[in-house]
Structure formats: structure tokens, C-alpha cells
Amino acid sequence: MLLLSLLLPGTNATAQEPSRGRELMQRRVTLSRAAVGNPVELHVASGSLTALEFDSPVDRAGVKLGDARDRFELFVVNDRWVMLKPTGDVATGERILLTVPFADGMSPPRAVFMLVSNATQVDAQVQVSRLPRTAEAVQAELDEVRAACAGKDAELEALRARSAATGPSGMILARAMDVEGVNAKDLQVGAVVKPSDGLKVERLIAFRGTGWVALSLAITNEGAAPWTPTEARLSSTRGGRSRAMVAMREPHIAPGGKALVVVEARGEDWPEKAALRVELRDSTGARRLFISSLVF
């Protein structure tokens, strides 16, 4: 802060004496990728502090001051600042290169300054910023986002179909129910479902229709933290594996609380009497409810 105080308007005459009558300048420099090979001219003077402030993190270890380091009584680098003070004026026609690489890997990767002497001015404070991303860079990022979105189209269509298939009319229109109707079975959970990770199934009802199965689970959270199931998987010992939709009314199952959770898998005719493995987990995967063998 003491060093920076020399840069502020109203600095006393003693602090300005080393500039030998030169005007203390405040500048803003904007970098571009096209100008990477063109050093920015920077006016320095004997005994005068020059401070460069960057809007991007600086790679401190990579900052280089040509081969003139011993000619500066002060040369300080931190994450956003470079401060320097020459012990003497730079000779006429002499050029000292200061290279400041950035730590974030973005473009331009570095700023290059050419330290020179000016008879009337010294750059006391310079704010250095990099240009916003070019149209090409923005377009490239947009293309990546579009590609990611395109991969979600099938999943989105499946969700839309599920949303439309509500009630008997919707199920018939979605061909999720035919003359076979819907079969439901209340399973004896005590023999097949063991508590896991503090999660206990109190009741389990299995539903089966054309191309879909659904499980209704009354789950009690016996753990110390709330639990929110977000993902379910069904797999058969005879082969076949499917992600399933998870639905419940409550935002989570509180410790000591109970909630009804519905797991629904579509798009595959699971064979009757086949043993299914069922897994429910939260978004972190830290807690899961696992049913190793479920026959219905």
C-alpha cells in the first residue's frame, strides 16, 4: 500500500522528484492475440515507481525482465501486479523487454512490454486487460454446447413421452397399456430387501405393463442425514440393463422420515420371473439402496 500510494493524485513533491520533471501518467492497455508479438512500449524513469495491474492471474514464476534485473532497485511480482523502479534512466535507444505470462491458459498467453525512457513522461500506473474473446472463440464454444445438447435430444423426447403418458388415456396413446392391462404384485420385502446405508424398504409393489415396469417403494430413512434418490438402475441376471426414472413428492426423505418413491423403467420387456437387481442412489453416490434379487 505504501508503494501504491506513490501513484495516487496528490502525491507529495518528494515522491515525484526522481521523475526529474516528467509527468506521471496513468494508462490503460488492452491486449489482443494479434499483438502478441508486438511489445507494448512502457515509459520508465530512474527512481520512479511503475506499477502494472492485470485483470488476469499472472504466472509469477514465468515473469522475465530481460538481462537487466540488477538495474532495478525494486522488482515485485504478485498474482495481479508487477511493480518496478529503475536505479537509473534507460539509455536512449535502449530497449528492455518485460515478459508477463498469464496463469489461466487463455489467449493471449502473455503480455510483452518494452521498457524505454521518455523525456517528458513516466508511466506510473498501467491497467492491463485482455480483449474479450473473439467471434471465432465464442462460436467454437457455442458449437460445443450445441453438440452436448444434441446428445440429450433422445433423453428429452423420452421425458416428453413420459410427461404425456399420464392416466389411462395417456398410457393407451403411448402404447404403454394394451389388452394385457397392468399387472401389480405386492411383494414380501422382509425376505428380499435388506436395509442398506440406513435406508429401509417398508413396502414394495411391482407394476408391469407393455414395455415398462415400475416399483413403488415406501422407504424409511434411518440415517442421520436427509436422502434424495436421483438415479435408479435395473439389471437382470439374464442380461439387460436400464436406467430408470425416479419420482417422489417430497424434496427429500428426512432422518427418521418415510416417503413413497416410484422407480419406472421403459423401453424393455423384462422377462417375468427373472431376478432383477435394483439400485437407487443420490446425486453424490454416497448412499444407495440396493436390492440384489427381486422376482415378480
Side-chain angles (χ1 to χ4, degrees), residues 30-84:
T30 301
L31 306 175
S32 67
R33 288 192 298 180
V36 169
N38 301 320
V40 178
E41 191 170 284
L42 199 64
H43 300 150
V44 298
S46 172
S48 291
L49 178 70
T50 295
L52 293 88
E53 179 185 6
F54 298 87
D55 67 348
S56 303
V58 170
D59 178 6
R60 300 170 61 178
V63 176
K64 297 180 180 179
L65 186 60
D67 56 358
R69 175 66 184 85
D70 57 347
R71 295 170 57 186
F72 288 78
E73 61 178 290
L74 176 69
F75 182 61
V76 178
V77 180
N78 64 26
D79 292 338
R80 297 280 180 172
W81 288 85
V82 173
M83 292 176 283
L84 48 88

Side-chain angles (χ1 to χ4, degrees), residues 89-95 117:
D89 283 339
V90 178
T92 302
E94 184 180 9
R95 304 289 186 265
S117 180

Side-chain angles (χ1 to χ4, degrees), residues 1-11 15 24-26 48-52 81 83 123-126:
M1 294 302 294
L2 178 60
L3 295 174
L4 294 179
S5 68
L6 301 178
L7 307 178
L8 300 176
T11 304
L24 299 178
M25 302 297 296
Q26 292 186 348
S48 291
L49 178 70
T50 295
L52 293 88
W81 288 85
M83 292 176 283
D123 292 322
Q125 184 175 16
V126 181

Side-chain angles (χ1 to χ4, degrees), residues 141-156:
E141 183 175 340
L142 180 60
D143 290 342
E144 292 181 3
V145 173
R146 284 175 174 169
C149 291
K152 299 293 184 179
D153 284 349
E155 183 178 348
L156 180 59

Side-chain angles (χ1 to χ4, degrees), residues 196-248:
S196 58
D197 283 341
L199 303 168
K200 182 179 180 181
V201 179
E202 302 286 350
R203 187 180 183 186
L204 197 164
I205 302 176
F207 298 85
R208 181 189 296 274
T210 303
W212 63 272
V213 294
L215 302 175
S216 170
L217 302 97
I219 300 176
T220 298
N221 181 7
E222 298 180 336
W227 186 66
T228 304
T230 58
E231 180 184 355
R233 295 180 182 179
L234 273 66
S235 57
S236 172
T237 56
R238 301 180 186 177
R241 185 181 181 90
S242 175
R243 287 181 177 272
M245 180 182 69
V246 180
M248 68 178 192

